[in-house]
Amino acid sequence: MDYMDNIRNKLALLPDLPGCYLMKNEEGTIIYVGKAKVLKNRVRSYFTGSHNGKTQRLVANIVDFEYIVTSSNMEALILECNLIKKHMPRYNVLLKDDKTFPYLKITNEAHPRLEVTRRVLKDKAKYFGPYPNAYAAHQTKKLLDRMYPLRKCGVMPKEICLYYHMGQCLAPCEKEVPKSAYEEITQSIAGFLGGGHEAIKKDLQKKMQEAAEELYFERAKELRDQIIHIDALMEKQNINTPDTRDRDVFGYAVDKGWMCVQILYMRQGKMIQRHSSAFPFYGEAYSDFISYVTQYYSDNPALPQEILLPDSLREDSVLYQSAKPVIAVRAPAEEDILGSEGAPESPEDAAEREAASLEAAAAGVVDAAGGAAALQEWLGVKVLVPRRGLKKQMVGMACQNGKVALDEKFRLIERDEERTSGAAISLGLSLGLDNLNRIEAFDNSNIQGTNPVSAMVVFIDGKPARKEYRKYKVRTVQGPDDYETMREVIRRRYERVLKEDLPMPDLIVVDGGKGQISSAIDILQNELGLFIPVCGIVKDDKHKTAQLLIGDPPEPVALGRDSQEFYLLQRIQDEVHRFAITFHREQRGKSMVISKLDSIPGIGDKRRKLLLKHFGSLKKIKEASIEDFRPLSIGEKLAGQILAALRDEDPLAPGAAELESEPASE
């Protein structure tokens, strides 16, 4: 193949230097971006040897590649991050959530406010965070608003508001507030968020006792409530270290082509929260993990004092064996903390590590030490790969949480599959069927006979098979005749099944009762010679699934309302109804557009299509000016007639407003 010859020629010219490589598919689209300590070794590894299923899928789509040489691993790390953000390659690990993490901010104003923000600016304000989610940030702000009387209003009001009377604002709108008062409050908030909540809690307890002794019971109750809120907010801080450093602890786990990254946030020596991300990955596990970390910090400029990363060499064994569940851990001895950074390893561990490092270097992969060094150089903060002690335990805990999260994900998938397939089997037994693998369901849709359509959905083993859904425009039925519509659609569907030898369903479900069932059975048995079981789903007066009928004559089937079989029927009925009504709205919308334009003298089929292609919608044609029609060779007179006809219509005419809000068809 020509493209393989091109790849071989390029592989022979690869340099022994660090850099980034960009893999491309047949269309020239960049599908994967990677970095390497040695470009020659790393890129060659994709086209030699065996790979797992995910990497094989990536390699099968590569027909060309480019590379960019950098002067160091750190530059390769940053370049990879920028290229991923620019090209959004299909097979790369991507931070798909476009939101950055929330922070608490004390604004730099004459009368400062406390607010939650996702943007960290160089505006001399004080930022605290990041918080793993908006809920945690808002809960913390809610507590601080009760404790510290900073301004709450976005715009300064003209008179004192309720916050002042509640003791939660100093009322700068009415009173002169000295700068020193704000500085004291800011320092208190910084101390609280910096881990000094125990001292603040003791101070509140003292004030509460004083207020109670002086018989100020309402004030004492307010102080007691604040103490309760502090306890509630801080009760999740379940790991303590003797120092008070801010750390982000990373861990990851991989299984079945998926990666889960866990971040434990340590602030002032206490774990306050964690963040979890799970996604499919296609490259080398540790390289993709480092890529994730790089993207994370490129979007979160507020850095901790220290970052802890897992080792790339033995995460499957040592980290998981030493990891413990997320529970309280004793405060370690000081030598444990020191030992976690550089304690000597056993000769066996050192030998294993050296062999794995040589293997990684030979493949051109960025190893743990190289990745940590590059991150440290770029971010300007300490980045460690701990070997022993509590820091190793914390990294192990993050990895263990990742492993547990992936296990849970796969168990939920398996459980859902068991539940859906089990529901299909149970439904088949309830209907007297030995096998219920494939279900085909039909529903009709029209409004007083206009734009009649029908739709079919397919469920295989209890799960929707969307690629096999079908839509039908009703051809022979005039008016709102649901029975004849069902006869036409059943005839068309199963004539085609017989003609093209398509899979036969084990059960046909129609939306309706005895009439629809009888119509379907008549066509199947008397015209096509097919004896496929047909059941009907009857709805109650609230348009909800109420009863299942089967047979000829149809008889009800007893199913518990809380059973998985009944739930499966509801899903089938809701899905086919949604699919049919969406198709009907699409057809109705098109017919309304066509009829409105066709009613204008001088507009035929060709010009109607030209107008819709040029403007995109009827709404945009209405909003156009006379000049906008000139590129279509439509003169002022005809353009004026078009605009007059469309703009003079009754805005309350049936369907006029509806047309602009139609959902996209499937």
Side-chain angles (χ1 to χ4, degrees):
M1 296 176 69
D2 291 340
Y3 77 84
M4 281 306 299
D5 291 336
N6 180 49
I7 286 176
R8 289 191 193 97
N9 292 334
K10 283 190 171 184
L11 289 175
L13 301 175
L14 283 167
D16 296 325
L17 295 169
C20 290
Y21 51 91
L22 301 88
M23 302 299 194
K24 297 182 177 181
N25 63 8
E26 288 182 340
E27 289 78 31
T29 303
I30 294 171
I31 59 175
Y32 187 78
V33 174
K35 62 185 173 300
K37 292 174 67 175
V38 183
L39 280 168
K40 186 176 185 178
N41 296 344
R42 182 65 185 134
V43 178
R44 279 183 173 179
S45 70
Y46 284 93
F47 304 98
T48 58
S50 60
H51 305 287
N52 60 34
K54 289 271 187 178
T55 307
Q56 284 177 0
R57 195 182 311 168
L58 163 63
V59 174
N61 287 287
I62 299 173
V63 299
D64 194 9
F65 69 87
E66 294 179 9
Y67 61 89
I68 302 170
V69 174
T70 61
S71 60
S72 67
N73 289 338
M74 186 266 288
E75 287 186 7
L77 195 72
I78 300 170
L79 178 60
E80 181 198 38
C81 179
N82 293 335
L83 290 172
I84 289 173
K85 286 186 175 182
K86 178 181 178 181
H87 298 290
M88 302 293 285
R90 176 183 175 185
Y91 293 103
N92 272 100
V93 169
L94 302 174
L95 294 184
K96 294 183 179 180
D97 187 0
D98 58 354
K99 295 179 181 178
T100 55
F101 288 80
Y103 295 80
L104 283 178
K105 173 183 178 180
I106 300 177
T107 60
N108 180 35
E109 300 174 276
H111 304 290
R113 292 178 298 122
L114 181 67
E115 59 183 32
V116 176
T117 181
R118 291 183 183 270
R119 299 179 62 197
V120 179
L121 306 173
K122 294 181 179 179
D123 55 1
K124 297 184 179 180
K126 293 185 182 295
Y127 292 88
F128 304 92
Y131 289 83
N133 55 63
Y135 177 77
H138 282 286
Q139 286 295 103
T140 305
K141 179 182 180 296
K142 186 177 179 181
L143 171 61
L144 294 173
D145 281 340
R146 290 172 175 166
M147 295 172 59
Y148 300 105
L150 288 180
R151 176 165 66 96
K152 307 294 187 294
C153 309
V155 178
M156 194 77 74
K158 295 181 180 180
E159 57 185 19
I160 291 176
C161 63
L162 182 61
Y163 285 115
Y164 172 74
H165 298 292
M166 294 169 64
Q168 296 182 19
C169 182
L170 296 175
C173 54
E174 289 282 338
K175 301 178 180 181
E176 186 66 31
V177 180
K179 188 176 181 180
S180 59
Y182 287 128
E183 290 177 351
E184 184 180 345
I185 292 174
T186 301
Q187 289 174 2
S188 297
I189 292 176
F192 180 87
L193 295 175
H197 57 277
E198 286 294 339
I200 292 170
K201 181 178 167 183
K202 288 179 181 178
D203 185 53
L204 290 174
Q205 288 172 336
K206 181 181 176 183
K207 290 179 179 178
M208 179 183 70
Q209 291 172 355
E210 291 174 354
E213 289 171 0
E214 295 175 7
L215 305 183
Y216 294 138
F217 296 118
E218 289 186 2
R219 176 61 178 161
K221 180 180 179 299
E222 291 174 3
L223 293 166
R224 184 204 64 186
D225 291 343
Q226 289 182 7
I227 293 169
I228 291 171
H229 288 302
I230 290 174
D231 288 337
L233 186 66
M234 297 301 166
E235 67 180 355
K236 295 180 182 178
Q237 300 188 355
N238 47 22
I239 298 179
N240 296 316
T241 58
D243 59 5
T244 56
R245 296 177 70 82
D246 293 348
R247 296 183 177 89
D248 287 351
V249 182
F250 283 83
Y252 76 101
V254 294
D255 192 14
K256 298 180 178 68
W258 280 74
M259 177 181 293
C260 180
V261 177
Q262 296 274 331
I263 311 171
L264 307 181
Y265 298 97
M266 307 287 295
R267 295 298 179 263
Q268 291 293 306
K270 297 178 176 60
M271 194 185 91
I272 59 170
Q273 269 288 2
R274 70 170 180 144
H275 177 72
S276 177
S277 296
F279 42 82
F281 77 101
Y282 298 86
E284 194 273 330
Y286 200 77
S287 292
D288 280 3
F289 165 70
I290 292 294
S291 174
Y292 177 95
V293 177
T294 308
Q295 292 180 65
Y296 172 82
Y297 283 115
S298 70
D299 289 333
N300 292 277
L303 297 170
Q305 296 169 291
E306 194 172 274
I307 298 169
L308 304 183
L309 300 180
D311 195 339
S312 62
L313 308 179
R314 296 180 298 166
E315 67 274 2
D316 290 334
S317 56
V318 175
L319 287 180
Y320 292 159
Q321 290 169 11
S322 64
K324 293 178 173 59
V326 181
I327 56 173
V329 177
R330 67 172 180 85
E334 182 64 25
E335 56 268 20
D336 291 335
I337 294 291
L338 297 174
S340 68
E341 293 187 23
E345 297 179 279
S346 67
E348 294 80 6
D349 289 349
E352 184 181 345
R353 185 175 303 283
E354 184 178 356
S357 295
L358 290 172
E359 184 181 345
V365 177
V366 177
D367 61 1
L375 279 170
Q376 181 166 302
E377 185 180 355
W378 174 44
L379 299 174
V381 300
K382 204 170 188 179
V383 182
L384 301 175
V385 181
R387 302 286 187 247
R388 297 175 65 182
L390 180 65
K391 291 183 182 180
K392 175 74 170 180
Q393 279 189 317
M394 290 176 351
V395 169
M397 179 182 294
C399 290
Q400 179 68 7
N401 274 272
K403 186 175 186 299
V404 169
L406 280 184
D407 289 344
E408 183 180 85
K409 177 183 180 67
F410 295 132
R411 283 202 306 270
L412 287 173
I413 292 172
E414 291 169 2
R415 185 177 178 185
D416 184 59
E417 289 177 351
E418 289 174 2
R419 185 160 43 190
T420 52
S421 60
I425 293 170
S426 298
L427 179 61
L429 293 174
S430 300
L431 299 176
L433 304 176
D434 296 331
N435 183 42
L436 190 54
N437 172 259
R438 183 185 181 93
I439 301 173
E440 295 185 358
F442 296 83
D443 190 17
N444 306 323
S445 182
N446 67 80
I447 294 181
Q448 296 179 346
T450 61
N451 303 110
V453 299
S454 188
M456 179 195 77
V457 302
V458 179
F459 276 62
I460 298 176
D461 290 331
K463 293 176 287 187
R466 291 183 173 83
K467 289 184 179 179
E468 302 200 42
Y469 287 12
R470 294 293 181 268
K471 305 171 182 175
Y472 298 91
K473 292 181 182 177
V474 178
R475 298 169 181 168
T476 61
V477 180
Q478 300 296 323
D481 190 333
D482 205 36
Y483 300 155
E484 285 303 315
T485 299
M486 186 62 67
R487 292 170 66 87
E488 178 188 328
V489 173
I490 293 291
R491 181 185 297 114
R492 287 168 57 187
R493 167 62 183 170
Y494 295 103
E495 279 181 348
R496 184 166 186 172
V497 167
L498 290 170
K499 183 179 179 181
E500 299 181 10
D501 195 25
L502 299 175
M504 285 284 182
D506 300 307
L507 177 69
I508 296 172
V509 178
V510 298
D511 191 70
K514 296 180 180 180
Q516 285 86 350
I517 295 173
S518 298
S519 299
I521 290 175
D522 180 40
I523 296 298
L524 289 167
Q525 296 183 1
N526 299 329
E527 289 192 22
L528 303 176
L530 296 175
F531 294 87
I532 303 170
V534 179
C535 68
I537 303 176
V538 181
K539 296 177 182 176
D540 58 20
D541 55 357
K542 295 182 180 178
H543 211 65
K544 299 292 184 182
T545 304
Q547 194 176 42
L548 177 67
L549 301 175
I550 192 169
D552 190 17
E555 297 291 337
V557 178
L559 292 176
R561 286 294 187 103
D562 57 348
S563 65
Q564 288 296 326
E565 303 94 286
F566 194 82
Y567 174 66
L568 176 60
L569 286 174
Q570 284 182 316
R571 285 183 62 205
I572 293 172
Q573 188 174 44
D574 291 345
E575 180 70 354
V576 70
H577 180 70
R578 177 199 65 80
F579 193 51
I581 201 69
T582 300
F583 182 43
H584 178 256
R585 286 173 177 169
E586 175 191 333
Q587 295 303 307
R588 189 173 78 246
K590 286 180 180 178
S591 68
M592 289 165 62
V593 172
I594 292 170
S595 63
K596 287 174 184 176
L597 290 175
D598 282 347
S599 64
I600 302 170
I603 299 295
D605 184 61
K606 186 176 180 180
R607 268 190 173 149
R608 184 190 72 236
K609 291 179 179 177
L610 194 64
L611 283 165
L612 290 172
K613 183 178 180 180
H614 180 74
F615 289 102
S617 69
L618 199 65
K619 181 182 179 182
K620 290 184 178 179
I621 298 175
K622 289 181 187 180
E623 296 170 349
S625 64
I626 297 290
E627 297 296 322
D628 294 331
F629 290 87
R630 293 192 185 281
L632 303 178
S633 301
I634 294 177
E636 290 186 16
K637 184 178 179 181
L638 181 55
Q641 290 176 345
I642 293 171
L643 294 176
L646 295 178
R647 291 173 179 173
D648 289 347
E649 68 185 10
D650 179 10
L652 298 179
E658 205 176 347
L659 180 63
E660 305 303 334
S661 61
E662 297 298 334
S665 64
E666 299 188 45

